[in-house]
Amino acid sequence: MNGLSYLEGIKKQFLYYKSLGERTIDQLDEDMLFWQYNEESNSIAIIVKHLWGNMKSRWTDFLTTDGEKEWRARDQEFENDIQSKEELLEKWNEGWQCLFDALDNVNDANFDQPIYIRNIEHSITEAINRQLAHYSYHIGQIVFLGKMICDQDWKSLSIAKGTSNSYNEKRFAQPRHKAHYTDKLMDDE
């Protein structure tokens, strides 16, 4: 697999995780976004703020500066000071836009250059994979919190309980083909 096909696939994976977060946030009233299980746990708003701070730091000047920017205030990312769902979504979209803009600047000519995060050298694939793992971890937390908060009103974001067999029957009724695994998942929204 060359760098460009890797980038195409990784962008789809990031889009998929972004959609899971958005589909969770869409199911919640504003006050639900700020709910915390206890003082030591994070609300969805805090997790979004942390993702925003990390994305802005890691992806701003991705190819030319260390991913841990001097201006990042990581500890403040865990303060529950977002005021509204609108502000939460602004931070969410700003972080993701920074990520996708950075990925759009990666090409065959610069794909082999080293990337630094906290002064540790990474290949571009290592740096991207590191962030994909980090973001999917936190988006899983967002989904889990959303599911707990919504309880019986939760709308499944993947194959709903009790529907695995019918889902697989539809998938295996089609001929084998090349596709990214998120293509069908994104189409099912």
Side-chain angles (χ1 to χ4, degrees), residues 1 5-21 96 99-100 103 128-129 131-133 135-136 139 180-183 185-186:
M1 172 167 48
S5 62
Y6 165 80
L7 286 170
E8 180 183 325
I10 209 77
K11 285 177 189 178
K12 288 181 179 186
Q13 287 183 285
F14 278 121
L15 281 169
Y16 172 67
Y17 285 108
K18 180 179 184 281
S19 78
L20 289 178
W96 285 104
L99 178 155
F100 288 116
L103 290 179
I128 292 171
N129 289 344
Q131 296 317 117
L132 178 66
Y135 303 155
S136 62
I139 291 168
H180 193 272
Y181 80 94
T182 63
D183 292 344
L185 296 170
M186 298 291 281

Side-chain angles (χ1 to χ4, degrees), residues 105-116:
N105 286 311
V106 177
N107 55 52
D108 280 336
N110 60 25
F111 195 81
D112 291 326
Q113 79 177 63
I115 301 298
Y116 290 89

Side-chain angles (χ1 to χ4, degrees), residues 10 50 62 75 118:
I10 209 77
H50 169 59
F62 175 67
D75 291 337
R118 292 191 174 111

Side-chain angles (χ1 to χ4, degrees), residues 49-61:
K49 187 177 173 191
H50 169 59
L51 285 167
W52 165 78
N54 181 279
M55 288 175 176
K56 293 293 289 180
S57 183
R58 294 294 185 266
W59 301 102
T60 298
D61 303 323

Side-chain angles (χ1 to χ4, degrees), residues 112-156:
D112 291 326
Q113 79 177 63
I115 301 298
Y116 290 89
I117 302 173
R118 292 191 174 111
N119 227 20
I120 298 172
E121 183 177 317
H122 295 62
S123 68
I124 283 185
T125 55
E126 289 169 336
I128 292 171
N129 289 344
R130 174 179 172 161
Q131 296 317 117
L132 178 66
H134 183 202
Y135 303 155
S136 62
Y137 166 78
H138 285 305
I139 291 168
Q141 293 173 326
I142 290 171
V143 172
F144 182 73
L145 286 169
K147 191 171 184 176
M148 283 183 10
I149 293 166
C150 287
D151 195 24
Q152 298 298 318
D153 295 328
W154 176 252
K155 294 174 193 72
S156 178

Side-chain angles (χ1 to χ4, degrees), residues 4-43:
L4 294 182
S5 62
Y6 165 80
L7 286 170
E8 180 183 325
I10 209 77
K11 285 177 189 178
K12 288 181 179 186
Q13 287 183 285
F14 278 121
L15 281 169
Y16 172 67
Y17 285 108
K18 180 179 184 281
S19 78
L20 289 178
E22 290 169 350
R23 291 166 55 206
T24 299
I25 292 166
D26 286 348
Q27 294 188 51
L28 302 170
D29 295 331
E30 185 169 89
D31 61 319
M32 295 173 173
L33 297 168
F34 302 96
W35 177 83
Q36 291 176 255
Y37 176 74
N38 59 33
E39 283 297 313
E40 294 302 312
S41 60
N42 294 321
S43 67

